[in-house]
Structure formats: structure tokens, C-alpha cells
Amino acid sequence: MPQIPETELNPERIAWARENLKNLPEGDAYDQMISGVAYDYTDSNLYMRRLTVHEMTDDYRLLRFRDSNFDVTMHRARRNKFLERILGKMDKSTFIEPPFFVDYGSNISVGKNFYANFNTTFLDCSLITFGDNVLIGPNCSFITVTHPTDPTERAKGLEFAKPINIGSRTWFGANVTVMPGVTIGDGAVCAAGTVITKDVPANTVVMGVPAKVVEHMTPEQFKKENGESK
């Protein structure tokens, strides 16, 4: 079934974003965007944030280890300083391999020990929220934005977005695509090349296009396979 936009603002989501995220664009279009209401992506505040953050991610990619005197701690601190200006919420343990790509950056919230490999793409027109201990393989995409299926509606320049919620201790193999409005439960494993269009239960392995559950793991199995004693 094609997704459809919401018709009203989501006050709870707007309040959460304003209270918990940094680097947010101002204006009504932002509130419409994260609420799932159709919005004009050419809005000046949205456009300025996109242009600014795209240059920030370019600068992040160009940070040189040698410019930190080959000091790992200094280099990591320089990277984190950039990430704090790009992302909405992060922990000092956040590690993202360059290059990576965002629409706004400010709608991304990551927990502790977050790792994303090369060429991760976050189209964060709505909120993308990650728990703790998330591993992301290369070339993965998290897509919140979508468009009307009616071509006459698309021609009006409107789009809308649905949030993505990712639980803790999740793992994404290479080239995974997560589509708008998806929730992925704690401990889930998403096999390489998977396209995820529906919610993924906790402690499961999914694979395929579209994704299907191929294995259920009890919490005890998950702990054993990941070397956890408790």
C-alpha cells in the first residue's frame, strides 16, 4: 500500500525534537516535515540547512590524520566536533566513517557506541533514532522521505516523511535499505542487501527484498552468540 501524508501536525514529535535535538531549522515547514505532513522542500530555512550541512559533511570527509600530528585522540576530537554540528544528538563514542551523507543531520539521534561504515546515507526529513550499540555496514541507506504516487501531486513539489526508529544492539550488513516509517526492534540483524519496508521484530534475522524474518532468537541465544555472559 502506498504511504499517505498526515493531515495534522504532531505536537508531541515537534516538542521532542525541539527539546532533544540540536542544529534544527526554524519555521513552520520544519514542523510539517517531521510531523509527516506534506511540505514544501524549497522552503528557505530547510534549503539553507541542507546546503550548510552538505558542506559540513564534505569538510568532515577531508579531515586529515596528519593535520592532527598523527595523534588518534586529537583526530577523534576533531571528528566529533564536526559531528556535533551535523547530528541532532550523539554520544562521544559515536564513530562514522567518511564519507557519509545526510539531508539535514539534525533529525538524527544516535545512542552510545554507534558505528557507521563508509557511504552511509541518512535522508532524515523525519526523525531517525538509533539506540545503543548499533553497527552499520557500508553503503546502507535510511530513507524517511517519500512522494505522492499521483504524478500530478508530485509535480506540485510537495513531499512528506515518516520516522525511522532503530533499537539497541542492532546490526545492518552492507547495502541495507530501510524505508520510511519502519521500526526495528532491539537485537535485530538485517542481512546484506536487505530492503526493509515493514517493522522488524526484536531479536530476529531478516533478509531479502522485501525483508522477511528467517530466524528468531531468544534473548539467551542473542547473548550467547554475541559473547555476553548476562
Side-chain angles (χ1 to χ4, degrees):
M1 290 289 292
Q3 295 193 356
I4 60 174
E6 303 295 334
T7 58
E8 297 180 356
L9 295 181
N10 187 319
E12 293 181 358
R13 192 178 300 163
I14 294 169
W16 186 91
R18 296 294 183 192
E19 292 170 7
N20 292 279
L21 302 178
K22 302 184 301 182
N23 310 311
L24 299 179
E26 296 296 332
D28 294 339
Y30 175 78
D31 293 345
Q32 293 171 342
M33 181 173 71
I34 67 164
S35 293
V37 174
Y39 66 95
D40 180 2
Y41 64 86
T42 65
D43 172 82
S44 59
N45 289 319
L46 299 182
Y47 187 55
M48 287 296 293
R49 173 60 187 177
R50 290 198 304 273
L51 290 179
T52 302
V53 78
H54 294 169
E55 293 192 356
M56 289 182 195
T57 55
D58 283 342
D59 292 341
Y60 178 82
R61 177 179 61 85
L62 294 173
L63 289 174
R64 296 289 188 264
F65 188 31
R66 63 173 177 264
D67 293 337
S68 298
N69 297 318
F70 301 101
D71 184 305
V72 173
T73 300
M74 184 184 299
H75 185 61
R76 183 69 178 271
R78 293 182 68 209
R79 280 187 165 187
N80 277 353
K81 191 172 183 179
F82 269 88
L83 289 178
E84 287 173 353
R85 296 168 58 206
I86 294 170
L87 303 180
K89 185 178 181 181
M90 60 171 278
D91 183 78
K92 294 294 184 181
S93 59
T94 299
F95 197 100
I96 302 179
E97 299 281 10
F100 76 103
F101 309 95
V102 302
D103 250 348
Y104 297 91
S106 49
N107 288 328
I108 303 167
S109 172
V110 303
K112 297 178 181 178
N113 301 316
F114 176 88
Y115 176 83
N117 215 317
F118 304 109
N119 288 314
T120 303
T121 297
F122 307 90
L123 296 191
D124 60 311
C125 299
S126 188
L127 306 182
I128 305 179
T129 306
F130 295 91
D132 298 331
N133 301 300
V134 174
L135 294 174
I136 299 174
N139 302 308
C140 288
S141 298
F142 299 84
I143 313 297
T144 67
V145 65
T146 187
H147 303 272
T149 55
D150 184 338
T152 59
E153 290 295 314
R154 287 199 302 276
K156 296 177 183 178
L158 297 177
E159 60 186 29
F160 62 99
K162 303 285 186 177
I164 292 174
N165 296 289
I166 310 293
S168 296
R169 305 183 309 279
T170 48
W171 174 27
F172 299 84
N175 298 294
V176 172
T177 300
V178 181
M179 301 303 288
V182 165
T183 293
I184 297 177
D186 292 345
V189 176
C190 305
T194 299
V195 177
I196 303 171
T197 61
K198 296 180 180 179
D199 292 352
V200 174
N203 300 313
T204 60
V205 178
V206 297
M207 63 170 44
V209 183
K212 294 182 180 180
V213 174
V214 296
E215 183 178 354
H216 292 266
M217 296 185 293
T218 66
E220 289 73 21
Q221 286 175 311
F222 182 86
K223 289 176 183 178
K224 183 178 180 181
E225 292 186 13
N226 287 272
E228 298 180 23
S229 60
K230 295 183 181 180

